[in-house]
Structure formats: structure tokens, C-alpha cells
């Protein structure tokens, strides 16, 4: 079955494909509505009960048998027959598609949007509603192909909770058997720097490691008229903020991209009182996995040195996060071929390694896989609505692109193996 030619969001003709699995117009409209419903009802990590129920209901309507994870949110669903160990009945490992389903604890600031968040201080500002809808849509299309006897090999859908909660809900999904019998895994992440209608691909590291840092500084406090008689805690905190990133940057190869960035600093209540307590929190990010393994010792030592210099007592909580997402070459090539089959070479572009963190990396510690950057910027739009900002939104034509990328990848993967 060949796909009818149509126009993509950039106005260019879409290449007619030889693969089945194009997105029917009725399902396209349904998926847009589904995504908008998720966008209006965002839920934080490990609280995604409504989201999980909505996904489960739609999969069951298609005749599938999803299984909710033991943690109570997120689910796994196989399309096709798998054996006791999770692999296909012929023993060949299956292809998995992963989506993250949680939202962020920030307000939705879009003022003229009919589907803006209805939940105070909660927003799908990272595109997880799009990721979820893409995997759901791909699952529905592949389920129909399976019903017709046209899906050569089983596929697994993984809807994972708590990606935004370090060290990430991927660990819960893996512990619950998400990767049992899986040979390859694929995912997409919204990218507001890439035009809708395109995907960005990269072999090797595409994201960075990300850890969380929480620091308490303490001293006896005192009068601002006599800082020499006490610990000048505000100055000590300020020096930690400025000096620690500089020290860290000189203790590893600069190409490793080890960076400490602060997101919060709190101290004091009155202008003439030196406080007894200060708190700082931030993130540690790193491009290189070997430097990431050394990062806790390097960062903690730098904090202690600066705090001791200013006679402040430091207490450090270094929360290990996620390693970089390192895309496998063969699976990245699979995504490339799938996108070319759907949209031609014009639908693919290279992408840089990001300093953002993603717990998809935990899956890739166990099986080869690849994450693509899914373009969500309306072509021609100059303003970039960046991720993790309250006004973030996505060009919804990206849903179609993601679904057809994944269905093509499933069919090509079956042909390869």
C-alpha cells in the first residue's frame, strides 16, 4: 500500500512511501484532540493517574491489553504475540517505543490558547504530551496492521512516568520488565529549534549527564556591623555561587563540558542581620560520561574548599541523576531510513549534543537505541518557545511526523531482523 502525496508543514510535497502505516485523517484528528486533553490536565511525576487511565482506555478500545506498572502510573503494552521472556515467539528481540508522560511544576503562561493547562502551576512545558500521543498513535496504527496480518514482528509500547524526577522513572519501568525481550528501543523528544516536518538525528551522545545539587551553609550569625566577629554567610554563599563553577571548570578537561549552574539561593530575613543559614540548589551537567563519573568528588571538594575559606559549615546533598543519552549507530540509521521512507531526505537534519538530561539513557545502558529530535517549530516562526518555559507549545503536525516515523521504523526493523 502506498501513501498518497500530501503537503508537509513547510509546504513541500511529501514523498509517497512504499510502506504501510500512514496516519488516517480521522485518527490524526483524534490524536490532536487527545494531546490537547493531556495538555489541559498535566500531572507531575508519579502522579499521572488520569493520564495513565486515558492511555489505557484508548489502547483497550483498540483491542490491546496494556499493563499498568507496579508503581501505579505508566504502562506497558505489547502489539503482537510475545513469548514468556518478552521476546517474539521466534526468539528475536522486539522493538520498543518509549514515551514519557509527566508534566512540569510550572504555570502555563499561554494567554490565547484554548487548551492551556487547567491545573494551577502545572504545565506540559517539555512536550511530553506530544511524546505520549506519538507513541499512542503509532501503537494504534500498528495494532490495525497486526489485525490485518501485516505487522511482521511484535512491538512494545512503553509509557513511562516521572522522567522529570531524578533519577527518572525509567528505572521503575525497567524493574517492571519493560525491557524484557527488547532488542532495540526508540524515542523522540520535542525540539523547538527544529521545524515541524523534520527530525534531528545524531549518532553518539545527544544529551548530557545531569545531577542535582543541594547545599546548606551554616554559621553563628551576627550583626552586619561586625562581620569580622562571625561567619559572613551571605558572602560565603555568594562565593560558592561564583567560585565553585570556576574551580570545577579547571579540574577536568574543558571538552568534557562539566558545568555547575544554580537555580536557587536563599538566605536571611533582615538587612542588618547576618543570617545563620543559607541554602543553594542547582544542577551539574556534563557532556562526557567519564567526567560525569568523577563529577561528585570534584564538585563536593570545590564546595568544601570555598565554604571552609569563608568559615562556613557546609552540608552537601549530591543527587545522582542520569548519564548522557548515547545513540546507537545502527538504530540511528534505522530512524534515518524510516524518516526518508516517509518524508525524503529533506525530512532529516543533523543535531547537536544538548546539555539537557534525559532518563532515556537508562534504557540505553541495557539495550541499543536512539532518540530523535522531533521538530515542533512552526516553519517560518522566528520566536523560539523554549522547553521548560510556561509559554511552550508545539506545532501539532509534528504528531503525524512522529507516528509515521515510528511505524516506518517498526516495519523496517522487522525487515532487517
Amino acid at each position: 500500500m502506498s501513501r498518497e502525496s500530501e503537503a508537509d508543514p513547510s509546504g513541500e510535497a511529501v514523498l509517497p512511501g512504499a510502506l504501510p502505516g500512514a496516519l488516517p485523517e480521522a485518527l490524526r484528528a483524534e490524536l490532536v484532540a487527545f494531546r490537547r486533553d493531556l495538555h489541559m490536565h498535566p500531572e507531575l511525576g508519579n502522579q499521572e493517574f488520569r493520564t495513565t487511565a486515558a492511555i489505557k482506555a484508548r489502547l483497550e478500545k483498540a483491542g490491546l491489553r496494556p499493563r499498568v506498572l507496579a508503581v501505579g502510573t505508566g504502562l506497558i503494552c505489547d502489539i503482537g504475540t510475545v513469548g514468556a521472556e518478552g521476546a517474539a515467539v521466534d526468539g528475536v528481540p522486539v522493538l520498543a517505543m518509549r514515551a514519557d508522560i509527566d508534566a512540569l511544576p510550572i504555570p502555563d503562561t499561554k494567554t490565547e490558547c484554548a487548551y492551556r493547562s487547567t491545573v494551577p502551576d502545572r504545565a506540559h512545558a517539555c512536550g511530553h504530551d506530544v511524546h505520549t500521543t506519538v507513541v499512542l498513535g503509532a501503537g494504534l496504527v500498528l495494532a490495525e496492521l497486526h489485525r490485518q496480518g501485516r505487522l511482521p514482528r511484535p512491538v512494545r509500547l512503553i509509557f513511562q512516568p516521572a522522567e522529570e524526577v531524578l533519577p527518572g522513572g525509567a528505572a521503575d519501568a525497567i524493574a517492571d520488565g519493560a525491557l524484557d525481550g527488547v532488542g532495540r528501543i526508540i524515542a523522540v523528544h520535542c525540539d523547538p529549534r527544529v521545524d515541524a516536518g523534520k527530525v534531528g538525528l545524531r549518532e553518539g551522545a545527544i544529551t548530557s549527564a545531569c545531577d542535582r545539587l543541594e547545599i546548606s551553609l551554616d554559621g553563628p550569625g551576627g550583626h552586619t556591623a561586625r562581620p569580622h566577629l562571625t561567619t559572613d554567610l551571605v558572602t560565603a554563599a555568594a562565593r560558592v555561587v561564583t567560585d565553585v563553577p570556576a574551580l570545577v571548570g579547571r579540574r577536568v578537561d574543558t571538552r568534557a563540558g562539566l558545568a555547575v549552574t544554580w537555580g536557587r539561593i536563599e538566605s536571611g530575613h533582615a538587612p542588618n542581620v547576618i543570617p545563620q543559614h543559607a541554602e543553594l540548589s542547582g544542577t551539574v551537567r556534563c557532556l562526557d560520561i567519564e567526567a560525569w563519573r568523577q563529577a561528585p568528588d570534584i564538585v563536593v571538594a570545590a564546595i568544601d574548599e570555598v565554604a571552609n575559606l569563608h568559615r562556613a559549615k557546609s552540608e552537601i546533598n549530591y543527587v545522582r541523576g542520569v548519564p548522557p543519552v548515547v545513540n546507537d549507530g545502527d538504530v540511528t540509521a534505522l530512524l534515518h531510513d524510516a524518516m526518508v521512507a516517509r518524508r525524503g531526505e529533506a525530512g532529516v537534519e543533523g543535531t547537536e549534543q544538548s546539555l539537557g538530561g534525559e532518563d532515556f539513557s537508562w534504557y540505553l545502558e541495557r539495550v541499543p537505541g536512539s532518540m530523535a529530535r522531533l521538530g515542533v517549530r512552526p516553519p517560518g516562526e522566528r520566536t523560539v518557545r523554549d522547553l521548560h518555559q510556561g509559554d511552550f507549545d508545539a506545532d501539532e503536525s509534528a504528531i503525524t511526523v512522529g507516528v509515521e516515523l515510528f511505524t516506518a521504523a517498526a516495519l523496517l526493523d522487522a525487515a532487517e531482523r
Side-chain angles (χ1 to χ4, degrees), residues 337-350:
D337 292 346
M339 191 62 180
V340 170
R342 296 299 192 197
R343 302 264 162 166
E345 286 286 354
V348 181
E349 61 182 52

Side-chain angles (χ1 to χ4, degrees), residues 38-197:
L38 295 185
H39 200 83
M40 293 174 67
H41 301 92
E43 297 174 300
L44 298 185
N46 297 315
Q47 301 173 25
E48 312 97 330
F49 297 103
R50 183 186 185 278
T51 303
T52 298
I55 300 166
K56 182 173 183 287
R58 186 60 185 92
L59 292 172
E60 289 177 337
K61 183 180 178 182
L64 299 172
R65 300 176 63 184
R67 174 173 65 85
V68 176
L69 298 180
V71 293
T73 61
L75 60 159
I76 300 169
C77 183
D78 289 332
I79 303 170
T81 305
V82 298
E85 300 301 320
V89 289
D90 59 4
V92 177
V94 302
L95 176 72
M97 303 172 178
R98 174 268 200 174
D100 37 10
I101 67 175
D102 57 325
L104 286 163
I106 64 175
D108 189 332
T109 59
K110 297 188 294 294
T111 55
E112 298 181 4
C113 179
Y115 51 87
R116 70 192 298 262
S117 173
T118 61
V119 184
D121 299 321
R122 303 288 185 268
H124 268 295
C126 200
H128 292 189
D129 53 337
V130 174
H131 308 165
T132 299
T133 305
V134 164
V135 173
L136 174 65
L140 296 176
V141 172
L142 293 172
E144 177 60 19
L145 291 179
H146 175 64
R147 189 186 68 79
Q148 298 170 4
R150 302 171 70 194
L151 182 65
R153 188 165 300 286
V155 173
R156 177 166 300 156
L157 313 179
I158 301 171
F159 297 91
Q160 175 215 300
E163 189 277 329
E164 298 286 354
V165 182
L166 290 179
D172 292 323
I174 293 169
D176 210 348
L179 292 182
D180 291 353
V182 169
R184 289 173 163 182
I185 187 168
I186 56 176
V188 292
H189 197 295
C190 289
D191 192 335
R193 301 164 301 172
V194 177
D195 284 349

